[in-house]
Amino acid sequence: MSQGQQQCAINIRVIIIRRIFNPSEIIRIVFAFKEQGVHKSFSHIFINFFKISKGMKPASRGQKKKKAEHADYTEKELQEIDKEYNELMRNHGIQESYGPKIQNVVSTVLLELLSKTTNEKEETLDLDNLANKSNNCEYKKSRFPALIQRIKDPKSTALIFEAGKMVITGTKSIDQSRDAAQKFAKSIEKVNKIKINIVTVQTSNIVANSQLPYEVNLIKINEDKQLQGSINYDRQAFPGLIYKMQNPKLAALIFFSGKIVFTGAKNEHQIKKAYCTLTEILKKHESIKTQKS
């Protein structure tokens, strides 16, 4: 691991220590830094997270609900975002291959557990039984309170908690995430011989990559007075500039090469809207070097 990657790892630990208790938030951070080679194992970062946070109080239900809320677009707004995105791609001569592509969807799933014989509600899942009789899973209760299970189609990983909650990560779309939730639920039903109803499947975070057809001057962007308070750039600690957008509310990691990583979105249209806004800003700070073909 290079010095820059080591510093990224330190930054992740600092963020975790600063009381980020939501597991989906930790997944978001890991995915944001994964391509820089900082962490290769999800279970490793989760285990470290729970070691650090042991004994600390989790966020209240009200706080969790507030974090989960996100703005929904009307049909007219969706059409306007699609129109703006298509016009931007056409007017700037940007190929579709440069547009944002979803790399990971993180979803929080709430399960209702029912007895197959009495149809009465059950309070907890038997994770020990699930671990012993299931394939492709890890469960070490002393180190991490959730069972980690994987499936190949759609390729995804689930963190299954005994209270009847799941965090699903690794899918490439919201539909895939819902499909994965159904398959994980059926697997639990079959092994534990209980009835499961999926109450909600809520998208916690979407991570997407995109590429501009030109390089950008991060130093000039960092000096842009109109962006002060929304950007963070320390090239000795991390090679990318972090831009915290307010509308839509998400974060963008911007690299000199023109690569952009969006994280914190709740739907695909938020990413499209962010890409349109960001492209107009970054065009002003295009590097003097020749554009990419």
Side-chain angles (χ1 to χ4, degrees), residues 8-17 20 23 25-31 33 38-53 143-144 148 159:
C8 289
I10 292 170
N11 289 346
I12 291 175
R13 294 188 191 103
V14 169
I15 294 170
I16 292 170
I17 291 170
I20 296 177
E25 184 74 2
I26 303 302
I27 294 176
R28 180 184 70 78
I29 296 166
V30 174
F31 262 99
F33 287 94
V38 177
H39 283 287
K40 296 181 180 179
S41 168
F42 285 109
S43 56
H44 173 74
I45 188 69
F46 271 99
I47 289 165
N48 284 346
F49 161 62
F50 273 91
K51 280 184 178 179
I52 292 169
S53 63
R143 301 185 67 186
F144 183 60
I148 302 171
L159 305 177

Side-chain angles (χ1 to χ4, degrees), residues 93-153:
I94 301 175
Q95 298 177 13
E96 189 60 37
S97 59
Y98 284 112
K101 301 289 186 299
I102 294 176
Q103 301 300 316
N104 181 53
V105 176
V106 181
S107 296
T108 304
V109 184
L110 181 61
L111 305 174
E112 182 183 38
L113 314 174
L114 301 171
S115 170
K116 258 192 174 181
T117 54
T118 64
N119 211 37
E120 292 181 355
K121 187 175 180 180
E122 296 193 0
E123 298 297 325
T124 58
L125 271 173
D126 187 349
L127 296 184
D128 289 309
N129 182 65
L130 192 60
N132 291 332
K133 297 181 180 180
S134 300
N135 298 321
N136 303 319
C137 64
E138 304 171 28
Y139 183 49
K140 294 182 180 179
K141 190 174 183 179
S142 60
R143 301 185 67 186
F144 183 60
L147 180 144
I148 302 171
Q149 189 172 26
R150 298 173 179 85
I151 58 174
K152 292 183 179 179
D153 183 25

Side-chain angles (χ1 to χ4, degrees), residues 101-105 154-155 170-177:
K101 301 289 186 299
I102 294 176
Q103 301 300 316
N104 181 53
V105 176
K155 189 176 181 181
T171 58
K172 301 288 186 180
S173 71
I174 293 175
D175 287 341
Q176 279 190 7
S177 189

